[in-house]
């Protein structure tokens, strides 16, 4: 059995050499690379890295959109004995500098001239960096006698001719299963990111376990790559999962074209972070609001049957008799329009998802299965399957792993998927992995009698009110986002007398809801100021939140923010988790105004 990444690659090339491995759209046409060609390109990249001075045990930083070149550079670095370190495309030059310097990179990769420029802006602070490889397009950077050389992808690969295959084979023979072969830099909200050391064992074992769990016939599995490859979830989905089975990976053209590419590719497995599912839901609801009355009634009936059927299946009971009819005339058409008609498994991970979104898709015959994990356990710690899932819970322990709750409810995991430690940070490693090998997640949860884990909050995110009550904001935020016009929600109130919420609104929904409640609001700005629309929001908050929670958990006030929280705005991480500290700082004035006067309760608490 393979225990090293290159052994997995070699085995897959032997078994599936002539089968398609990668497809990318270039000049409007899908281009295909077979497993044999992919494997050869990876070995060539590894030899080129050796030529340019990459030493075993050092890093290779990579920044760019998802592409075959990204994967070839990443796995090529692993074969050469290095540690690829992905950088988020939204990172600043200083963040690029930190990762590149911290991982001791002599060679870095960037996909475009704009990303190359980030290295050049901080070149004086990167004395170890010798070469920047521009993966796509014509090199624009001009040599000026100092700093790293900038070379094209073709020139990089051509350098492999200077290194014999035997030299690479020596590097491969020296590798051990416990060697770190990938660095995942956390997208933390404060301070410099930590570098998670992932070993060959971590990757090979996790990829084998997840492929045995999720993937079907190897040559028939189709996956669409679009999430940041700097994130462990996308690396397992795009790099190591397909490599374990010989599946076919497509690259989305961009996040903006995701819907279009989904319809073209029609993947058999689709991973969407909660924000992706929420945006699909919002667009579907906006389209449904303008549907003819008869169509609305038909869809409402089908969704009622679908939700009943979805929960019946979870209980092991038969679905309603009319479920098949609803599937034929509504659900199948929805899946086809979304490009999910071949998807056996639809997954969400990386951040909390609201129950409203889960039930929306469940009611349309599309159960979204939750996976829970973190970079420090190579991705998954728990998983859900079509025949074994619970809406609102993140699944059961990954086969072969261990899961437990600490005395304070913190989720802990142990197994071959748990990372080696933080690169150059032994002190924090000891704080994260205890003496018995348990990885402490920082998440609070519960485990039911069937072994299903439910995450209730982050330890650090708990709000403690002035009255000493511990409040889990994510639960309330999920309830707020169940209000159709509410796009995003952040609950505040730490050390305050009451809770409040910062809301962003769905601009495509405002006009419809405004007309229904008698408001003249047409956009976010007018909705935020219009008294009638604000009373409408108060009523919805009472209905969706305040009537369902304890008095201390009710939302007393709210503010409508002028724009949605975004990665570019700094309020979201690259995997679209809310940076609470950033939000609190950016909207400090609005929060201060909320608490400047006594709360006028919006609830009939």
């Amino acid at each position: 059995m393979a225990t090293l990444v290159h052994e997995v690659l070699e085995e897959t090339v032997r078994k599936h050499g002539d089968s398609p491995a990668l497809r990318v759209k270039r000049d409007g046409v899908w281009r295909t690379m077979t497993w044999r060609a992919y494997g050869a390109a990876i070995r060539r990249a590894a030899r080129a890295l050796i030529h340019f001075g990459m030493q075993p045990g050092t890093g290779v930083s990579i920044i760019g959109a998802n592409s075959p070149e990204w994967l070839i550079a990443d796995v090529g670095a692993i074969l050469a004995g290095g540690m690829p370190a992905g950088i988020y495309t939204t990172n600043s030059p200083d963040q690029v500098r930190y990762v590149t310097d911290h991982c001791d990179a002599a060679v870095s990769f960037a996909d475009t001239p704009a990303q190359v420029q980030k290295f050049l802006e901080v070149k004086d602070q990167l004395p170890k960096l010798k070469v920047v490889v521009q993966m796509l397009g014509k090199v624009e950077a001009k040599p000026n006698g100092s700093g790293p050389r900038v070379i094209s992808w073709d020139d990089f690969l051509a350098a492999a001719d200077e290194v014999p295959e035997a030299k690479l084979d020596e590097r491969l023979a020296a590798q051990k299963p416990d060697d770190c072969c990938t660095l995942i830099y956390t997208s933390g909200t404060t301070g410099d990111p930590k570098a998670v050391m992932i070993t060959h064992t971590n990757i090979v074992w996790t990829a084998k376990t997840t492929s045995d769990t999720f993937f079907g016939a190897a040559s028939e599995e189709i996956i669409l790559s679009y999430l940041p490859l700097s994130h462990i979830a996308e690396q397992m989905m795009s790099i190591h999962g397909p490599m374990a089975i010989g599946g076919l990976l497509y690259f989305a053209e961009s996040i903006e074209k995701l819907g279009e590419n989904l319809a073209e590719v029609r993947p058999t497995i689709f991973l969407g972070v909660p924000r992706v599912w929420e945006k699909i839901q919002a667009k579907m609801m906006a389209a449904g609001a303008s549907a003819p009355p008869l169509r609305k009634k038909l869809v409402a009936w089908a969704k009622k049957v679908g939700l009943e059927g979805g929960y019946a299946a979870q209980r092991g009971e038969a679905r309603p008799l009319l479920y098949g009819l609803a599937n034929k005339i509504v659900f199948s058409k929805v899946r086809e329009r979304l490009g999910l008609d071949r998807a056996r498994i639809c997954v969400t991970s990386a951040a909390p998802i609201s129950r409203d979104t889960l039930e929306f898709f469940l009611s349309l015959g599309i159960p979204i299965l939750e996976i829970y994990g973190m970079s420090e356990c190579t991705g998954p710690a728990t998983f859900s399957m079509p025949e074994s899932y619970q809406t609102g819970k993140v699944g059961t322990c990954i086969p072969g792993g261990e899961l437990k709750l600490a005395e304070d409810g913190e989720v802990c995991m142990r197994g071959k998927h748990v990372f080696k430690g933080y690169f150059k940070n032994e002190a924090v490693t000891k704080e994260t992995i205890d003496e018995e090998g348990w990885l402490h997640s920082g998440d609070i949860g519960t485990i039911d009698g069937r072994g299903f884990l439910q995450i209730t909050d982050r330890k650090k995110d708990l709000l403690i009110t002035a009255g000493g009550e511990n409040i889990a904001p994510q639960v309330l935020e999920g309830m707020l986002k169940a209000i159709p016009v509410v796009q995003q929600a952040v609950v505040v109130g730490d050390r305050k007398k009451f809770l409040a919420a910062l809301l962003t609104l769905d601009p495509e929904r405002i006009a419809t809801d405004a007309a229904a409640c008698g408001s003249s609001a047409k956009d976010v700005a007018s909705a935020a100021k219009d008294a009638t629309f604000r009373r409408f929001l108060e009523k919805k908050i009472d209905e969706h939140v305040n009537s369902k929670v304890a008095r201390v958990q009710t939302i007393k006030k709210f503010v409508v923010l002028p724009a949605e929280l975004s990665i570019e705005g700094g309020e979201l991480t690259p995997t679209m988790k809310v940076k609470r500290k950033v939000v609190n700082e950016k909207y400090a004035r609005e929060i201060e105004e909320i608490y400047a006067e006594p709360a006028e309760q919006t609830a009939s608490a």
Side-chain angles (χ1 to χ4, degrees):
M1 179 180 169
T3 58
L4 299 164
V5 170
H6 73 84
E7 292 173 345
V8 176
L9 175 63
E10 290 164 3
E11 185 176 331
T12 297
V13 170
R14 281 197 301 271
K15 289 181 179 179
H16 307 284
D18 295 327
S19 298
L22 309 176
R23 283 198 177 130
V24 62
K25 189 176 280 191
R26 299 271 162 86
D27 301 320
V29 178
W30 287 105
R31 313 285 183 179
T32 301
M33 178 177 282
T34 66
W35 275 103
R36 196 178 317 281
Y38 182 27
I42 289 170
R43 283 188 64 95
R44 193 163 180 77
R47 288 159 55 211
L49 282 164
I50 294 172
H51 170 78
F52 286 112
M54 193 218 79
Q55 297 300 313
T58 61
V60 172
S61 61
I62 311 171
I63 185 170
N66 299 22
S67 68
E69 290 80 5
W70 209 110
L71 271 60
I72 291 166
D74 182 282
V75 186
I78 295 175
L79 265 61
M83 305 177 295
I87 303 175
Y88 291 101
T89 56
T90 54
N91 278 12
S92 68
D94 189 60
Q95 291 169 318
V96 168
R97 174 206 58 77
Y98 177 81
V99 172
T100 302
D101 181 66
H102 185 263
C103 74
D104 303 316
V107 183
S108 294
F109 294 84
D111 63 342
T112 64
Q115 297 292 8
V116 168
Q117 191 59 35
K118 292 180 180 179
F119 291 93
L120 298 184
E121 284 186 27
V122 293
K123 64 182 181 180
D124 294 340
Q125 302 172 61
L126 293 172
K128 290 171 281 191
L129 184 63
K130 307 304 179 187
V131 176
V132 177
V133 181
Q134 185 176 308
M135 296 184 284
L136 302 173
K138 183 179 179 181
V139 173
E140 296 179 2
K142 304 295 183 184
N144 58 5
S146 64
R149 292 170 55 198
V150 180
I151 63 174
S152 70
W153 179 254
D154 288 343
D155 287 344
F156 166 72
L157 291 180
D161 294 338
E162 304 298 320
V163 178
E165 293 281 357
K167 182 68 175 177
L168 173 58
D169 291 336
E170 289 176 11
R171 292 271 182 111
L172 295 175
Q175 294 179 32
K176 299 178 179 60
D178 193 45
D179 288 346
C180 173
C181 67
T182 292
L183 294 174
I184 301 294
Y185 280 79
T186 61
S187 55
T189 59
T190 59
D192 292 322
K194 299 187 293 291
V196 176
M197 293 192 290
I198 304 294
T199 68
H200 285 276
T201 292
N202 293 151
I203 286 176
V204 173
W205 183 86
T206 305
K208 174 75 164 57
T209 301
T210 53
S211 64
D212 288 348
T213 302
F214 291 113
F215 298 130
S219 60
E220 298 175 6
E221 214 63 81
I222 299 171
I223 300 164
L224 181 61
S225 176
Y226 72 98
L227 292 169
L229 279 163
S230 312
H231 194 271
I232 188 62
E234 190 64 17
Q235 288 200 12
M236 296 309 295
M237 284 292 293
S238 291
I239 303 176
H240 302 291
M243 189 185 296
I245 60 167
L248 171 57
L249 181 75
Y250 281 80
F251 294 93
E253 295 173 83
S254 65
I255 190 69
E256 292 77 20
K257 290 192 174 183
L258 177 60
E260 179 183 324
N261 292 152
L262 263 174
E264 288 181 278
V265 173
R266 299 167 55 230
T268 57
I269 294 178
F270 180 67
L271 166 64
V273 293
R275 192 74 190 108
V276 167
W277 291 115
E278 289 165 4
K279 287 194 172 185
I280 294 173
Q281 176 187 6
K283 286 186 178 180
M284 293 176 69
M285 292 179 69
S290 60
L294 185 59
R295 177 67 180 169
K296 285 182 180 178
K297 288 183 179 180
L298 176 64
V299 172
W301 164 80
K303 289 180 68 178
K304 182 175 183 296
V305 172
L307 194 60
E308 291 174 359
Y311 277 118
Q314 292 177 46
R315 295 190 298 269
E317 301 171 0
R319 291 189 172 99
L321 289 175
L322 293 176
Y323 188 90
L325 178 61
N327 181 57
K328 183 177 181 179
I329 63 177
V330 176
F331 305 158
S332 62
K333 304 295 190 300
V334 170
R335 288 194 295 268
E336 185 176 354
R337 283 198 299 273
L338 293 176
L340 297 175
D341 52 310
R342 291 196 300 197
R344 297 181 299 101
I345 296 176
C346 291
V347 179
T348 187
S349 189
I353 187 169
S354 72
R355 191 180 191 92
D356 173 71
T357 296
L358 292 173
E359 289 189 338
F360 176 83
F361 285 98
L362 184 65
S363 72
L364 291 169
I366 306 174
I368 299 176
L369 309 178
E370 292 192 72
I371 295 177
Y372 165 75
M374 55 197 301
S375 299
E376 287 83 348
C377 65
T378 324
T382 68
F383 74 105
S384 302
M385 289 296 291
E387 65 275 8
S388 178
Y389 71 98
Q390 295 289 311
T391 296
K393 298 187 178 181
V394 295
T396 56
C397 185
I398 185 173
E402 295 180 80
L403 190 71
K404 75 169 186 177
L405 299 180
E407 290 185 5
D408 61 356
E410 182 179 15
V411 179
C412 302
M413 61 279 289
R414 185 167 65 179
K416 291 185 177 180
H417 53 327
V418 171
F419 77 135
K420 187 172 185 173
Y422 296 110
F423 188 49
K424 300 180 180 179
N425 202 334
E426 187 176 347
V428 178
T429 298
K430 289 181 178 179
E431 294 173 6
T432 308
I433 304 176
D434 66 26
E435 294 179 355
E436 297 179 344
W438 288 100
L439 168 63
H440 290 250
S441 68
D443 290 313
I444 301 295
T446 60
I447 300 176
D448 68 16
R450 297 175 59 190
F452 280 89
L453 173 67
Q454 183 171 10
I455 302 298
T456 56
D457 213 39
R458 288 285 297 169
K459 286 177 73 171
K460 294 180 180 178
D461 286 346
L462 287 173
L463 302 177
I464 303 177
T465 66
E469 297 283 349
N470 287 354
I471 305 294
Q474 291 175 350
V475 175
L476 299 174
E477 288 159 1
M479 298 169 78
L480 285 165
K481 288 191 288 185
I483 301 169
V485 75
V486 173
Q487 196 170 53
Q488 296 160 301
V490 178
V491 172
V492 297
D494 194 42
R495 292 170 292 180
K496 303 294 185 182
K497 292 182 179 180
F498 60 88
L499 300 181
L502 308 180
L503 307 177
T504 69
L505 303 182
D506 180 357
E508 296 183 10
R509 180 83 190 193
I510 290 173
T512 301
D513 285 1
C517 71
S519 166
S520 60
K522 300 295 182 184
D523 53 26
V524 173
S526 56
K529 297 177 181 178
D530 185 82
T532 302
F533 198 87
R534 289 187 63 85
R535 284 194 295 272
F536 163 78
L537 283 175
E538 289 172 0
K539 183 178 178 182
K540 290 297 180 182
I541 292 173
D542 277 347
E543 177 185 335
H544 285 263
V545 184
N546 295 343
S547 63
K548 300 177 180 180
V549 299
R551 186 185 184 91
V552 70
Q553 296 172 306
T554 55
I555 304 299
K556 305 295 194 298
K557 284 189 172 186
F558 66 88
V559 168
V560 174
L561 300 180
E564 71 172 305
L565 309 179
S566 66
I567 298 170
E568 294 75 18
E571 305 99 343
L572 302 181
T573 70
T575 52
M576 302 184 190
K577 295 178 185 176
V578 173
K579 296 182 179 181
R580 295 183 186 276
K581 185 174 185 293
V582 173
V583 170
N584 286 337
E585 291 174 351
K586 190 168 185 175
Y587 296 103
R589 181 177 59 81
E590 288 83 353
I591 295 172
E592 184 179 344
E593 289 175 357
I594 288 174
Y595 293 101
E597 299 175 5
E600 293 180 10
Q601 207 165 308
T602 64
S604 51

